[in-house]
Amino acid sequence: MLLSEKQITQLKRRVRETPHPREMILDVLHAIQDANGWVSDEGVELAAIILGLSPLQVEEVATFYDKIYRRPVGRKVIHICDSICCWSRGSEALMQRLQQLLGIAAGETTIDGMFTLLPTCCLGACADAPALRIGKTLYGKVAIEQLEAILDGERTEVSS
Amino acid sequence: MRTCEPLLFKNRRIGETVFLEGYRRTGGYQGLEKALRDMTPASVREEVKASGLRGRGGAGFSTGLKWSFFPSDDPGEKYLVCNGDEMEPGTFKDRQLLLADPHHLLEGVLIACYALGIGTAYIFLRDAYRQCAANLEHAMDEAREAGLLGDNILGSGFSCEVHVHRSAGRYICGEETALLNSLEGLRPNPRSKPPFPAVKGLFGKPTALNNIETLANVPHIITGGAAWYKSLALTEKGSGTKLYGLAGHLETPCCVELPLGMPLGELIRDFGGGVWQQRSFKACLPGGASTPYLTAEHLDVALDYETLEQVGTRLGTGGVVVFDDRTCMVAATLNLLRFFARESCGWCTPCRDGLPLVCWLLERIELGQGTREDMTMLQEQLRYINGRSFCALALGAMGPVDGLLRHFAEEVEDHIRLGRCPLQA
Ligand SMILES: Cc1cc2nc3c(=O)[nH]c(=O)nc-3n(C[C@H](O)[C@H](O)[C@H](O)COP(=O)(O)O)c2cc1C
Ligand code: SF4
Ligand code: FES
């Protein structure tokens, strides 16, 4: 079940009520992603049904955005900023250390399905460089030595 | 130390958000009240034009002039779109404003809509700014409750609806026509201009587009008047204040509101805490990732639109990113170009294929494998890409390359001559 009947009905009602339903594509994709972690082919098809569009019309939008995941991701996605301010304050070393700690390369997911590691562009936290985002939490002024504790904290937050 | 009475940041306390009560306590919504009570839409437009306000989103186009092209008096559906994509590396000012004081933007949006005869506004926010979206939505609830949003605002007969749109990443969504496609739920490649958005924009209707900071200045222009607003700048041609970003190799990176036209060196020394680790200043991006570098010889230059154009660069978004004397400018430029190449929307060849080629050339040079021909090719790409791309992303991308070849040609040549990066021990 990608979305509950209730959610589908609600979204369909909003689609009916807005003058420009297509404008809701990202809202629907976000809803599916929030519920499932990512947007599968079936997710694209469901979005198309809700919006009254063809799957292709949804797909060409879904594949454009890097924060809509069209492939499975871990329970938490680590977005590490690799843009200029963070680069100038050591993001490359952070990225290497993260890969080491997680035992994966950028773009991969840990075997336990916990984390996916993705580089991202500027998070708008340039004064707190180097910055990274894990799930919904933004971490600024990250020192290499803090990484292990940050990952541990994020792991326990999920299990609790 | 030069400071100024802040306008946009007047309610800003780090870590706190001011909502309606606090905003009103310092004069909030007086601009809207004055506009609705005492001014016609045309006189609001006139005031903004006279103020000399220029767009804070990067291009620096005169806001008054842009508004004068808008069919304000035509009947029919028209839209205001506020650009809050803010994804240009080194730019984080709009986020600071929305974290501190969301009503500020809302008041600006409402006055702009009144001035332009618009009944519906969209605020487009990037995916990462969820807290900003939540702040704005709360502010909108409060405003609606207080009769400041919705039907018949403050009993004036003027009605306006505002929607917050949450995006899902990609820098190109900040380009105004790509943003319109994104809002409509289409694939956000840019559109061809003309027709300009003011003629045929969102859903095919006339659309005014402005940056968050631009709109947040409008209430102050209305309450204080154009002449006063203009007098705030340090430069003769400039006007108003600017939210400067300070990032990179500084002791105290921050975002600070100061008069437009702050001298670069003073800004870095007094507000950035100087270059970090007691190193010296080598170069900076004056206004975000797409602006050609300034060097140590430019420390006296005033950070304003005209003065920066005179030294071959742009004020852009006002996000200053500083590099210390140990930075390899080839490596810095490579980092910037990788960003632009990755964020290219892929629509046109000069950008889609040209930027990866530029990255490849910079990589070779940085690794010590570059040749003189590579440097010539890099130079040629400036000509091949600039002016030939479908939108301004590729032009902006070549800004740092232009700066590198103008100011640091010797450093590039050293890489080639030595067969390695001269800055790496
Ligand atoms: C690739 C690209 C990205 C842009 N990103 C932004 C942005 O994030 N925010 C913004 O206000 N303007 C951005 N702009 C500039 C807009 O196209 C437009 O000029 C601006 O929003 C107009 O508002 P203003 O006149 O108030 O500055 C971008 C332009 C380009 C070419
Ligand atoms: S210049 Fe780049 S971003 Fe702009 S349309 Fe061409 S490919 Fe897309
Ligand atoms: S460059 Fe990393 S947050 Fe802006």
Side-chain angles (χ1 to χ4, degrees):
Chain A
M1 194 67 134
L2 291 160
L3 287 177
S4 68
E5 281 305 327
K6 193 167 150 233
Q7 278 174 305
I8 294 177
T9 319
Q10 268 173 0
L11 284 169
K12 278 189 173 162
R13 175 154 35 81
R14 276 181 56 201
V15 166
R16 257 200 322 275
E17 285 167 2
T18 55
H20 309 283
R22 202 162 172 161
E23 176 213 316
M24 276 186 58
I25 284 194
L26 281 181
D27 289 349
V28 174
L29 289 171
H30 271 133
I32 293 173
Q33 182 160 295
D34 285 347
N36 303 276
W38 65 297
V39 180
S40 59
D41 289 350
E42 292 73 25
V44 169
E45 282 166 13
L46 175 64
I49 292 169
I50 293 174
L51 291 154
L53 298 170
S54 72
L56 183 64
Q57 287 171 320
V58 176
E59 177 71 343
E60 65 171 8
V61 171
T63 53
F64 192 88
Y65 295 99
D66 63 325
K67 301 299 182 308
I68 297 293
Y69 312 124
R70 277 292 278 115
R71 280 192 248 166
V73 289
R75 291 165 78 180
K76 290 188 175 180
V77 179
I78 306 177
H79 286 287
I80 168 161
C81 173
D82 61 0
S83 292
I84 192 73
C85 308
C86 293
W87 173 84
S88 78
R89 295 179 83 104
S91 66
E92 280 177 344
L94 280 187
M95 179 55 135
Q96 271 176 9
R97 182 73 184 132
L98 275 174
Q99 297 188 358
Q100 235 174 34
L101 286 171
L102 299 169
I104 53 172
E108 293 178 351
T109 301
T110 51
I111 302 169
D112 62 1
M114 187 65 215
F115 294 116
T116 299
L117 181 60
L118 295 175
T120 185
C121 54
C122 182
L123 292 164
C126 317
D128 295 321
L132 53 89
R133 201 173 93 184
I134 305 183
K136 291 188 164 73
T137 313
L138 181 72
Y139 294 89
K141 299 195 170 130
V142 180
I144 281 209
E145 306 77 54
Q146 293 175 305
L147 282 176
E148 246 183 302
I150 292 177
L151 292 179
D152 284 346
E154 289 287 343
R155 264 196 207 96
T156 42
E157 195 213 55
V158 164
S159 53
S160 65
Chain B
M1 192 161 99
R2 201 185 327 239
T3 54
C4 78
E5 200 58 43
L7 309 179
L8 278 60
F9 277 178
K10 69 177 170 187
N11 297 321
R12 181 177 183 234
R13 313 269 175 283
I14 306 280
E16 290 173 33
T17 311
V18 158
F19 286 103
L20 189 57
E21 201 195 327
Y23 184 61
R24 280 199 140 148
R25 204 178 304 138
T26 57
Y29 286 109
Q30 283 177 9
L32 179 67
E33 279 171 32
K34 179 172 173 190
L36 294 181
R37 196 186 52 220
D38 305 334
M39 298 170 81
T40 62
S43 58
V44 173
R45 298 198 296 272
E46 273 312 308
E47 201 67 32
V48 170
K49 195 167 178 186
S51 76
L53 174 65
R54 291 178 67 165
R56 305 293 198 234
F61 197 77
S62 156
T63 307
L65 201 57
K66 191 191 267 190
W67 288 9
S68 72
F69 301 144
F70 193 78
S72 307
D73 302 322
D74 288 4
E77 200 71 35
K78 294 179 292 242
Y79 298 104
L80 176 81
V81 174
C82 173
N83 190 342
D85 193 52
E86 190 158 80
M87 285 186 72
E88 175 138 334
T91 309
F92 51 104
K93 61 191 180 69
D94 297 340
R95 171 165 174 254
Q96 304 306 317
L97 180 69
L98 291 183
L99 288 180
D101 198 1
H103 278 284
H104 228 115
L105 171 62
L106 199 54
E107 185 179 359
V109 165
L110 291 169
I111 299 176
C113 284
Y114 174 68
L116 298 168
I118 292 170
T120 310
Y122 286 87
I123 300 175
F124 185 99
L125 285 185
R126 63 176 292 189
D127 170 69
Y129 289 3
R130 292 176 198 194
Q131 189 56 47
C132 298
N135 288 354
L136 260 176
E137 274 158 1
H138 181 64
M140 281 160 51
D141 288 344
E142 286 183 320
R144 193 177 299 281
E145 190 81 359
L148 294 159
L149 177 65
D151 286 337
N152 191 18
I153 293 172
L154 296 171
S156 64
F158 165 66
S159 301
C160 189
E161 276 306 329
V162 180
H163 306 281
V164 175
H165 176 92
R166 221 183 101 200
S167 184
R170 298 308 296 275
Y171 171 60
I172 189 60
C173 294
E175 195 282 335
E176 54 186 20
T177 59
L179 187 147
L180 295 177
N181 278 338
S182 177
L183 256 181
E184 287 188 25
L186 303 170
R187 194 171 167 91
N189 299 109
R191 300 175 179 175
S192 62
K193 289 189 274 193
F196 287 92
V199 177
K200 197 165 179 275
L202 191 64
F203 306 119
K205 306 290 184 213
T207 303
L209 274 136
N210 278 113
N211 170 260
I212 288 181
E213 184 187 350
T214 311
L215 291 171
N217 272 288
V218 172
H220 300 286
I221 295 171
I222 298 307
T223 43
W228 164 80
Y229 181 82
K230 200 168 181 331
S231 75
L232 296 175
L234 300 176
T235 42
E236 196 197 328
K237 295 221 169 119
S239 101
T241 63
K242 180 80 194 76
L243 306 182
Y244 290 108
L246 283 160
H249 295 148
L250 293 169
E251 278 299 335
T252 55
C254 62
C255 181
V256 55
E257 179 174 14
L258 289 164
L260 200 60
M262 276 295 287
L264 174 63
E266 203 178 310
L267 183 71
I268 289 173
R269 185 193 64 212
D270 291 349
F271 298 93
V275 178
W276 72 345
Q277 301 175 17
Q278 307 198 323
R279 295 185 194 163
S280 57
F281 175 92
K282 179 168 185 178
C284 75
L285 295 161
S290 61
T291 54
Y293 303 116
L294 291 177
T295 66
E297 66 176 277
H298 298 118
L299 287 169
D300 294 332
V301 170
L303 294 172
D304 188 3
Y305 299 93
E306 303 236 345
T307 44
L308 286 178
E309 271 162 38
Q310 283 161 10
V311 292
T313 184
R314 295 183 300 114
L315 180 64
T317 61
V320 179
V321 183
V322 171
F323 303 107
D324 68 19
D325 51 356
R326 297 198 194 173
T327 312
C328 168
M329 295 311 290
V330 177
T333 310
L334 175 58
N335 173 276
L336 290 163
L337 267 289
R338 279 183 177 148
F339 160 79
F340 287 111
R342 190 170 72 197
E343 292 302 320
S344 165
C345 84
W347 184 258
C348 69
T349 314
C351 176
R352 183 190 59 240
D353 290 354
L355 297 185
L357 174 65
V358 170
C359 286
W360 181 76
L361 291 167
L362 289 168
E363 257 164 44
R364 279 173 57 91
I365 294 170
E366 177 59 10
L367 291 173
Q369 299 159 358
T371 60
R372 302 234 150 253
E373 289 72 53
D374 290 336
M375 202 171 156
T376 314
M377 242 173 122
L378 203 54
Q379 195 87 52
E380 282 171 356
Q381 291 311 311
L382 272 176
R383 269 188 294 126
Y384 292 158
I385 294 177
N386 289 358
R388 293 174 198 228
S389 60
F390 189 63
C391 86
L393 182 140
L395 181 71
M398 294 308 277
V401 178
D402 170 39
L404 178 75
L405 294 175
R406 263 193 295 132
H407 298 304
F408 297 100
E410 222 172 291
E411 191 171 317
V412 180
E413 278 162 14
D414 283 348
H415 280 78
I416 294 169
R417 192 169 44 79
L418 296 169
R420 65 177 171 81
C421 173
L423 282 118
Q424 261 165 26

